[in-house]
Amino acid sequence: MGDIKKIAIANRGEVAVRIIRACQELGLESVLLHSKADINSRAYRMSDAQICIGDSPVGESYLSIERNIDGALAAGADAVHPGFGFLSENADFAQALQDANIDFIGPSPEAIRTMGDKIAAKKIIAKANVPSVPGYNGADQSPEALAKEAEKIGYPVIVKAAAGGGGRGMKVIVDSTSAIEMIAAAKREGLSAFGSDQVFLEKYLNRAKHIEVQIFGDLSGNVVHLFDRECSVQRRHQKIIEEAVSGSISHELRSKMTDAAVKLAKAVKYVGAGTVEFLVQDDEFYFLEMNTRLQVEHPVTELVLGVDLVKAQILNQMNRFNVWEQDLLIPRGHAIECRLYAEDPFSVGMPSTGTIGFQSWPDAPGRRFDYGYEAGDAVTPFYDSMMAKIIVWDETRSRAISKMLKTLDETILFGVKSNIPFLKQILSHPEFVDGSFNTQFINQHFAEGAIPFNNSDQVSAIGEMCIDKIADVAPGSQSFKSPWAQSWSNT
Amino acid sequence: MKKLILSIDGRDVEVLAQKAKGKVWFHWQGDTYEYTPRAAQKASGSGQAALDPTQIVAPMPGKIIKLQKQEGDSVKEGETVVVMEAMKMEYNLKASKEMSIKKILVSENQTVSLAERLVELEEL
C-alpha cells in the first residue's frame, strides 16, 4: 500500500472504461490486460497501454490468475483494479498480487475469503445477529445429499454457487423431481464461471424485494454506508434495472438495514467499496450475501449522493482518502440504471452477437452512458452480454422514469439486437411505476420476454423503402470505418 | 447510417437506417427494428428451421454442455435434450413435441455456431 502511478485493469467492457476514466482524472497511467477478442474495444482504445494476456475464452485470459499477474508485472503496474465479475472476488488472486508486491484495489484476501465465500459469510452473519434466510451450507456437496437437504428446507429452494454472483450458478428448485438435475447444473455453471463448484441452498422467498446497502471502509477502520439500491427487477437472478434509493422501504427499516451492513463490514475490518445484499419481505429483512467489490449498479449511488466510488477506491488504496462523513451523505432525488444486454428482447433473453454498425447515445442533462463498445466493435459469445448501462437522475422517481423512457427512445443501436424494447415495457408497467414490484416481477409479467411489436405491415413498408435508398455497409471494413474512428467516440 | 425522409400513408417521417449483411436496421418513432428484405425472406425460407420439430439447431453460437438424451431415446414435449452455454449462461434446448432421437450430431464440450444442427428427431 503506497504511492500508485500505474494501474493495470483486469477486466473489459464498460467497467474497464469506467476505471480508465478514473485513472485519467487522477493523473494515473492505465494499462488494460485484455484478451485477443477485445483488441477492438473502447477500453483498448482509451487506455494508455495494453497487454494481451491470452486467448478469447475467459479461462485463457480474464479468469486466469497467472496470466493477469504476468500481465501486471510486465506492465510495471503498482496496483490492479479487478472491476466486477471475473477475478474481482477471488481471494487467491488478491493474495497472488500481494505476494508479487502489487496492490489489489479492494479488501484484504482474508476479507474476500470470509465474505466472498458465502458459506463463511453466513457464519459471521449469525454471530453479528443479522437475520438470514434458512438454508444449508454444509460440507457434503454431492447432488444427492444436497437434494435431501433441499427437501428438509422445504420447496421452493434456491441453489447458488458459493463463489458466485450476477445470477450465474443459481437455480430455483420448485419440487423434488428436478432437484438433482438443477443442483448439477448450478455446480457446472459455478465451475465454468468462477472456477468452483461449491454450492449452498436457501429457502426461496417468493415475493421479496432485493435491496442492498453500499458501504465503504477506509484504512483507519472507519466505515460508512452510502444508503441503498433496489434491484428487484431481475430475470434468472440477473439484475436488469436498479434504482437509488429504494422507493419502497420505511425510514425505520432503512436505518436497521444500513446499521446491520455497517456492523457487518466492521466485523471483517472491511476496506474499500462493498455491498451487503438483503431480501426484504413483509417488512423483515434477510442477509443475502456481501459482494466485496464494486457493483455494476454503483452509478445510481454516485448520482444520488454526488460521489465517485471508483476514484474513492483508488485514493483509499493510496491511503489518501478519509472516508466521507456519514452525516454529510444525504441522498437527493432519484437515479435509475438500465442494463443494455445484447439479446433478442422477444425471446426470453436469447443472446445476440454481431458487429455494431452504428450507435448513438442521446446526451442531455441528467443522463449518463457507460459503454464498452463502439461502431465497428464485435459483441462476441465469449463474454457476458451486457454492452452498456444507461443511468438517469431526476428530482423524483416518476420524473426519472420518464427521463429514462425518453432516453431509451432516443438511443440507437444497429447491428446487434438489444433489450431496449423490454426495458421500456418494464418501465411502463403499472407495478414498476407504483413501486409494488418484487423479484418475481419478470416471471409474473414477462415470462415470454417483451411483448412483440404489432406493426409488421408498417415495418415491412419502411424496411423495403430503406433498401431502395441506402447502400450496404460491411462492418469493420475500410470504407465503413473512417481513419478517425479509432480516437473519436460517436456520441 | 443515413437519415431518410420517407412518405408513409401520405405523411413524411424521419427514419435513421443502415444496411448490413443483407438486412436493414432502422430507428423509427423511438424503436429500432432489424428487417430482412422480402426478397431474402423468400429465398432462405426464414423462420422455417426454428419451427421444424424434427431438428434442434443452435439458437446462438456457444458450447454444448450436456446431452441429456441418447440416440433412440424418446422425448416428451418440452423435455430438455441439449444444454448449451453462451455468454456464461446455460440454456436448455427442448423438444417441441413428443419425438424420438434419430441422430445426435454433436458431442459434449463441442463449440457450435449459430443455426448449426445439433440433433435430428423423428416421429414415434
Side-chain angles (χ1 to χ4, degrees), chain A residues 116-136:
Chain A
D117 179 342
K118 275 113 206 172
I119 292 174
K122 291 213 129 188
K123 289 174 185 155
I124 299 258
I125 281 297
K127 251 188 227 163
N129 280 327
V130 176
S132 71
V133 187
Y136 170 80

Side-chain angles (χ1 to χ4, degrees), chain A residues 161-190:
Chain A
R168 294 172 220 155
M170 281 190 199
K171 308 271 169 200
V172 175
I173 311 170
V174 289
D175 57 42
S176 60
T177 54
S178 61
I180 289 176
E181 187 187 330
M182 305 279 261
I183 289 164
K187 288 174 88 76
R188 281 197 302 275
E189 276 192 23

Side-chain angles (χ1 to χ4, degrees), chain A residues 90-106:
Chain A
N90 188 310
D92 295 339
F93 182 52
Q95 186 64 54
L97 282 168
Q98 197 172 301
D99 297 346
N101 217 7
I102 299 172
D103 275 2
F104 174 79
I105 298 178

Side-chain angles (χ1 to χ4, degrees), chain A residues 192 236 409 424 464 473, chain B residues 27 30-31 35 38 85 90:
Chain A
S192 121
R236 304 166 76 166
D409 273 350
K424 290 199 283 193
E464 295 297 328
V473 290
Chain B
H27 193 80
D31 286 305
Y35 177 72
R38 217 168 275 151
E85 186 196 86
E90 280 194 8

Side-chain angles (χ1 to χ4, degrees), chain A residues 66-86:
Chain A
E66 196 191 337
R67 293 193 185 187
N68 277 285
I69 300 273
D70 288 350
L73 285 169
D78 309 301
V80 166
H81 197 304
F84 38 71
F86 298 129

